[in-house]
Amino acid sequence: MKRSVEDSTALPPVVDRTTFTADLEELHVREKAHTREGDEIAAQRRRLPMVEVDANLTVTGPDGPVTLLDAFDGRKQLLAYYYMWHTGHPATEQCPGCTWCAGQIQEISYLQSRDITFAVFCQGPYAESRAYHDFMGWSMPWYSAVGSLEHLLEGRKIGQMYLISYVRQGDRVYETYWTTMRGVEVMDNNYALMDLMVYGRQEPYEDSPAGWPKQWATEPSRSPKVIDGRPIAQWSRIAAGRSDDLTGGRSATS
């Protein structure tokens, strides 16, 4: 869905190629330092201690309850995205942030090549959340973690998005890392690409020059990931004729 920017919108100053290249190269120095700092942070992450998690905690998948250990699908590592869920609400009211995050992770063969299983652990019931998964056309493994959330998210708030890393040794499971809120942006490529553009994300918190468009609000009632009352990614599914009925007859499109 296209949103045009008026021709009168502010723009950077126009300079010659030599000046442009000099300024860009100065920025590239900072970008490379940022990349190296990211490498160092990742190195520290790999050196964190770990905490054991009950491998027999259950999550519900297409064949019913399975253990956390089973969710590794035979691999050494498991990366689980804990999807926020509004039980009983229609598709239009499901979390736009989680729709944004989960929808980016479609090609998981590269993760699997490194002995990593990626799965969504939804914080809502399996049937209706799986209906959402199917409506969106997603293919990643999908489970409901209802019933085990208190233990899986020990010390953390249930109902918030999380990205949690696990490793197993035999039949024992350990948690090695977790992040939340803007930490889950690592799942997305759209924001990273927007950051390369002159107007960025066009959201109010950004440090941009005066006159830059900031038409995407961040307050809950006006999510930057929603257009015309539903998460942005849903519109292409509706256009394709898919049903967004999650609860047996209460479709938001009818």
Side-chain angles (χ1 to χ4, degrees):
M1 186 171 294
K2 295 181 180 178
R3 294 261 173 142
S4 62
V5 176
E6 297 296 329
D7 288 344
S8 59
T9 304
L11 287 165
V14 178
V15 297
D16 59 78
R17 173 63 64 173
T18 300
T19 302
F20 172 74
T21 300
D23 286 357
L24 182 58
E25 288 180 349
E26 182 180 344
L27 178 63
H28 281 165
V29 171
R30 294 188 63 190
E31 287 180 336
K32 290 177 181 178
H34 182 263
T35 298
R36 288 192 291 269
E37 175 67 10
D39 290 341
E40 291 176 10
I41 290 171
Q44 182 178 348
R45 188 181 297 118
R46 291 191 293 272
R47 288 166 172 79
L48 288 172
M50 60 187 185
V51 61
E52 187 165 9
V53 181
D54 185 352
N56 293 311
L57 291 171
T58 59
V59 293
T60 301
D63 299 319
V66 299
T67 66
L68 176 61
L69 184 63
D70 290 332
F72 278 73
D73 198 24
R75 298 184 180 89
K76 179 72 173 180
Q77 301 171 90
L78 169 67
L79 180 61
Y81 178 70
Y82 283 75
Y83 199 111
M84 296 167 61
W85 190 257
H86 305 298
T87 302
H89 290 233
T92 54
E93 297 175 11
Q94 294 306 326
C95 178
C98 288
T99 301
W100 157 67
C101 285
Q104 309 299 313
I105 309 296
Q106 291 298 290
E107 183 53 74
I108 57 178
S109 61
Y110 297 101
L111 294 172
Q112 293 174 348
S113 74
R114 268 59 168 189
D115 214 13
I116 302 167
T117 290
F118 175 83
V120 169
F121 283 8
C122 188
Q123 299 178 62
Y126 182 77
E128 67 181 45
S129 68
R130 177 56 192 251
Y132 190 75
H133 165 282
D134 294 344
F135 161 60
M136 294 302 297
W138 293 336
S139 58
M140 78 286 277
W142 189 277
Y143 300 93
S144 166
V146 171
S148 295
L149 286 171
E150 182 178 350
H151 301 288
L152 288 168
L153 296 178
E154 182 179 354
R156 289 157 288 195
K157 180 181 178 181
I158 294 174
Q160 187 167 289
M161 62 177 71
Y162 295 97
L163 193 59
I164 302 182
S165 305
Y166 302 95
V167 67
R168 69 182 180 92
Q169 185 175 43
D171 60 0
R172 302 180 76 169
V173 172
Y174 302 89
E175 182 179 330
T176 63
Y177 174 77
W178 67 270
T179 188
T180 187
M181 305 303 288
R182 288 194 64 186
V184 303
E185 282 187 14
V186 68
M187 299 174 66
D188 173 64
N189 57 34
N190 287 280
Y191 267 17
L193 295 174
M194 289 178 197
D195 287 341
L196 301 180
M197 305 306 294
V198 67
Y199 295 132
R201 305 178 186 190
Q202 301 177 48
E203 297 181 8
Y205 65 87
E206 287 180 291
D207 180 3
S208 297
W212 255 229
K214 291 189 175 182
Q215 57 187 332
W216 292 92
T218 54
E219 57 267 28
S221 61
R222 297 177 59 228
S223 169
K225 301 172 184 71
V226 170
I227 287 180
D228 297 333
R230 68 165 69 233
I232 294 168
Q234 291 185 9
W235 284 110
S236 61
R237 279 69 172 180
I238 294 297
R242 296 181 189 169
S243 171
D244 66 351
D245 179 8
L246 309 182
T247 58
R250 192 178 63 193
S251 173
T253 59
S254 61

